Amino acid sequence: MLSRGSHDTSAGVPSGRRGGGPSSVDLARSVAAYTDRFTPHGGFRPPGRTERETVAQGVTLLLDHHREQAEHRLAEVDFAVRTVVDTATGRRFAEVYDRVDEGPSPRGWGRVLLDLDHPVRWSVQVPHPVADRDTEQLGVRVLRGAPGGLLVIAGAHRESGEGNAADVAHRRDTVFHAICSELVARHLAGIQLHGFAQESAPRYDVIASTGTGADGRAAGRRLADELGARHFSVCRAWVRSCPLPGRDNVQGREAAAEGVAFLHVEFAPGPRTDPAASARAAHAVSVVTRGWAGGARAG
């Protein structure tokens, strides 16, 4: 994994500029290169309804294996698709990216990576990259940990824009939410990664919650058990009163309304920033995501 400030010179380069075939990239480096520029005062423009729905429709077309149609739909809002091969796993991913982000005035609408080698059956969501330090890198570890995953990363620091316009975990008028809403409509289970300051819950390493829903309760118990077995102290929000239970999270509320499993997981700094601890945490999560993947076999 990379710390911010480290870059892969091939990260973010469309495959068409590298001979027409898929680019081989280290996903961790690629995501680090993408999020390195995120700051509280960075670029963010709220999307209109048609814009956010168009991106979400493009992702849905990809999930249905309609690549050409997806590319045409996404191009309507200056998004594009490229195929990348992760050097760490050898697996192919479709990367949905905003071409405007490669210019001087990024809109901050986000990025998606989805598994091309297995049926997509679950998602990992990173709503506060950089603001919740290294959750974006933890998201990459989780994506790599099981087949059939889709990673959606918000495109800006949560404090960008006016008010809470870029705080995608608490707004429905974002590209991030539009994509997650489509995933819920397809009944894909999801896990959303957050970070908390240690003083917010000094007794715990992880706060695990199913938000306002109960459909992810079995998966939540499994995750808490796996984290505990790896020497993390876990507050289980369905058992006791925990700080930061995520019950006002709008993606979690939508999942609950549709009966779709959703986990809201807050990590202390250690499991996010320490490489060994992060690897243990991601491995615990992968026990759950492999269960969600079902018949999909890792490549």
Side-chain angles (χ1 to χ4, degrees), residues 200-221:
S200 298
R203 295 174 50 200
Y204 297 107
D205 301 306
V206 185
I207 300 164
S209 174
T210 58
T212 59
D215 295 279
R217 195 66 53 81
R221 287 193 292 265

Side-chain angles (χ1 to χ4, degrees), residues 117-236:
D117 293 331
H118 308 91
V120 173
R121 291 179 172 147
W122 58 274
S123 74
V124 53
Q125 306 163 14
V126 180
H128 300 145
V130 179
D132 288 359
R133 183 181 173 189
D134 287 338
T135 49
E136 64 276 7
Q137 288 297 309
L138 184 57
V140 172
R141 287 185 182 272
V142 170
L143 181 67
R144 286 170 164 170
L150 179 150
L151 169 63
V152 54
I153 306 174
H157 193 285
R158 68 183 296 178
E159 296 177 14
S160 299
E162 297 183 7
N164 73 335
D167 185 358
V168 299
H170 299 100
R171 295 193 65 113
R172 297 180 182 274
D173 56 350
T174 66
V175 169
F176 183 93
H177 183 73
I179 293 168
C180 291
S181 182
E182 287 292 334
L183 301 178
V184 166
R186 299 173 75 90
H187 288 270
L188 297 183
I191 180 167
Q192 195 169 110
L193 308 179
H194 294 259
F196 67 90
Q198 193 66 69
E199 57 267 25
S200 298
R203 295 174 50 200
Y204 297 107
D205 301 306
V206 185
I207 300 164
S209 174
T210 58
T212 59
D215 295 279
R217 195 66 53 81
R221 287 193 292 265
R222 182 71 182 274
L223 175 60
D225 289 345
E226 293 293 335
L227 287 164
R230 290 165 177 78
H231 310 294
F232 293 110
S233 176
V234 184
C235 189
R236 306 177 186 221

Side-chain angles (χ1 to χ4, degrees), residues 2-208:
L2 292 188
S3 60
R4 281 188 290 279
S6 299
H7 292 270
D8 178 2
T9 56
S10 68
V13 178
S15 59
R17 299 180 190 172
R18 295 168 58 81
S23 299
S24 292
V25 300
D26 180 329
L27 289 186
R29 290 177 178 267
S30 180
V31 167
Y34 173 56
T35 59
D36 268 355
R37 61 176 173 74
F38 291 4
T39 70
H41 304 292
F44 179 76
R45 177 175 76 75
R49 178 175 178 178
T50 298
E51 291 168 322
R52 56 185 187 262
E53 289 181 351
T54 298
V55 178
Q57 289 163 4
V59 172
T60 298
L61 286 166
L62 275 177
L63 289 170
D64 288 332
H65 310 292
H66 301 307
R67 173 74 175 249
E68 185 174 352
Q69 293 178 41
E71 290 176 341
H72 285 303
R73 184 62 54 83
L74 290 164
E76 295 173 12
V77 289
D78 287 321
F79 268 68
V81 186
R82 56 188 166 227
T83 299
V84 297
V85 178
D86 179 31
T87 55
T89 62
R91 285 157 52 193
R92 297 180 310 131
F93 293 87
E95 184 174 53
V96 179
Y97 67 99
D98 187 349
R99 289 187 294 218
V100 177
D101 281 347
E102 298 181 345
S105 301
R107 298 180 290 191
W109 290 356
R111 186 166 290 192
V112 174
L113 285 156
L114 63 92
D115 192 339
L116 288 176
D117 293 331
H118 308 91
V120 173
R121 291 179 172 147
W122 58 274
S123 74
V124 53
Q125 306 163 14
V126 180
H128 300 145
V130 179
D132 288 359
R133 183 181 173 189
D134 287 338
T135 49
E136 64 276 7
Q137 288 297 309
L138 184 57
V140 172
R141 287 185 182 272
V142 170
L143 181 67
R144 286 170 164 170
L150 179 150
L151 169 63
V152 54
I153 306 174
H157 193 285
R158 68 183 296 178
E159 296 177 14
S160 299
E162 297 183 7
N164 73 335
D167 185 358
V168 299
H170 299 100
R171 295 193 65 113
R172 297 180 182 274
D173 56 350
T174 66
V175 169
F176 183 93
H177 183 73
I179 293 168
C180 291
S181 182
E182 287 292 334
L183 301 178
V184 166
R186 299 173 75 90
H187 288 270
L188 297 183
I191 180 167
Q192 195 169 110
L193 308 179
H194 294 259
F196 67 90
Q198 193 66 69
E199 57 267 25
S200 298
R203 295 174 50 200
Y204 297 107
D205 301 306
V206 185
I207 300 164

